[in-house]
């Protein structure tokens, strides 16, 4: 009579010695690398939002509350900029700065733009208002947003929004592709060749 699978298993395991412990010792994690990355992230954040930042210390060209904001970096094609102005690209994120203090608005804008850039969000809307309630300095937040956006490296272009998206109180912002997305595109195009 043939042996069952279980009997075969038992016979093949007769000379096996059981293991005396049932724990596994894992190699230690490289905590130095983790700590180094955390420090690098902290340094990047502190570069973006300096605790000593005071927007009122910056020289500012105060714009008319109804002024049209328009900016594009060297190399941005005219057709691309036209599409930004006409809202031809899908808006994937919105930031509302209404009612924020300037220091908080600056930090919010930088964090928002950086987060969108890392997540490869290309077209965003920033709502800043026109500041007509401030009788002494109307348009101050709008003026600062205009200035700040021009200094952020990943901002390619921006333009005042169309009426349905906020008109003079909002701005379309076009961001660069993230490094990961650029790398993916290079791989795709190199495979086609």
């Amino acid at each position: 009579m043939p042996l069952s699978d279980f009997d075969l298993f038992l016979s093949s395991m007769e000379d096996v010695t059981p293991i005396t412990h049932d724990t596994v010792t894992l190699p230690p994690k490289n905590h130095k690398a983790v700590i180094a990355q955390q420090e690098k992230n902290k340094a990047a954040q502190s570069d973006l939002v300096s605790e000593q930042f005071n927007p009122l210390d910056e020289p500012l060209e105060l714009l008319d509350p109804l002024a049209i904001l328009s900016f594009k970096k060297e190399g941005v094609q005219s057709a691309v900029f036209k599409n930004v102005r006409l809202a031809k690209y899908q808006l994937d994120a919105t930031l509302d700065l209404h009612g924020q203090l300037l220091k908080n608005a600056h930090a919010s804008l930088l964090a928002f733009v950086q987060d969108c850039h890392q997540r490869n969000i290309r077209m965003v809307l920033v709502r800043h208002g026109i500041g007509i309630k401030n009788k002494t300095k109307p348009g101050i937040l709008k003026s600062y947003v205009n200035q700040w956006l021009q200094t952020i490296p990943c901002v390619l272009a921006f333009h005042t929004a169309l009426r349905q998206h906020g008109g003079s109180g909002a701005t379309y912002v076009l961001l660069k592709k993230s490094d990961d997305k650029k790398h993916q595109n290079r791989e795709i195009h190199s495979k086609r060749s």
Side-chain angles (χ1 to χ4, degrees):
M1 174 169 169
L3 295 174
S4 71
D5 288 341
F6 184 70
D7 291 333
L8 282 172
F9 173 75
L10 288 177
S11 67
S12 64
M13 300 304 278
E14 287 175 352
D15 58 343
V16 174
T17 310
I19 297 175
T20 56
H21 63 84
D22 64 350
T23 58
V24 176
T25 306
L26 297 174
K29 289 184 178 179
N30 187 349
H31 289 293
K32 288 182 181 177
V34 172
I35 291 170
Q37 185 61 43
Q38 289 172 347
E39 292 301 318
K40 187 176 177 183
N41 290 344
K42 284 181 191 174
Q45 287 298 328
S46 67
D47 285 346
L48 284 176
V49 184
S50 169
E51 290 179 15
Q52 283 76 37
F53 172 76
N54 183 358
L56 300 175
D57 291 342
E58 293 182 24
L60 176 70
E61 178 190 341
L62 196 58
L63 302 174
D64 182 88
L66 300 176
I68 302 294
L69 303 185
S70 186
F71 171 83
K72 75 175 182 129
K73 285 189 176 170
E74 184 92 18
V76 175
Q77 297 174 354
S78 297
V80 170
F81 188 61
K82 181 179 179 182
N83 288 339
V84 169
R85 284 182 316 157
L86 299 176
K88 298 280 183 162
Y89 298 122
Q90 177 179 325
L91 293 171
D92 294 318
T94 301
L95 174 67
D96 193 343
L97 297 174
H98 284 100
Q100 289 193 25
L101 298 173
L102 287 178
K103 186 173 184 175
N104 296 342
H106 183 254
S108 295
L109 180 65
L110 288 175
F112 173 74
V113 168
Q114 181 187 27
D115 180 57
C116 289
H117 177 64
Q118 287 174 347
R119 295 187 309 145
N120 204 44
I121 293 173
R122 300 288 313 279
M123 190 70 177
V124 300
L125 179 69
V126 176
R127 291 193 170 115
H128 42 71
I130 57 174
I132 56 173
K133 291 181 182 176
N134 185 342
K135 303 292 185 213
T136 58
K137 291 185 180 176
I140 192 163
L141 180 58
K142 178 178 181 170
S143 300
Y144 273 111
V145 167
N146 177 58
Q147 186 169 305
W148 295 334
L149 285 173
Q150 292 181 45
T151 64
I152 300 173
C154 63
V155 171
L156 290 175
F158 61 85
H159 196 275
T160 295
L162 298 176
R163 176 175 282 161
Q164 67 264 30
H165 295 129
S168 296
T171 302
Y172 302 127
V173 182
L174 178 66
L175 304 177
K176 288 181 181 179
K177 288 181 184 173
S178 68
D179 292 337
D180 290 341
K181 191 66 174 177
K182 286 180 187 176
H183 182 71
Q184 287 174 358
N185 286 349
R186 281 190 207 111
E187 286 181 357
I188 290 169
H189 293 296
S190 68
K191 289 178 184 176
R192 289 183 185 170
S193 303

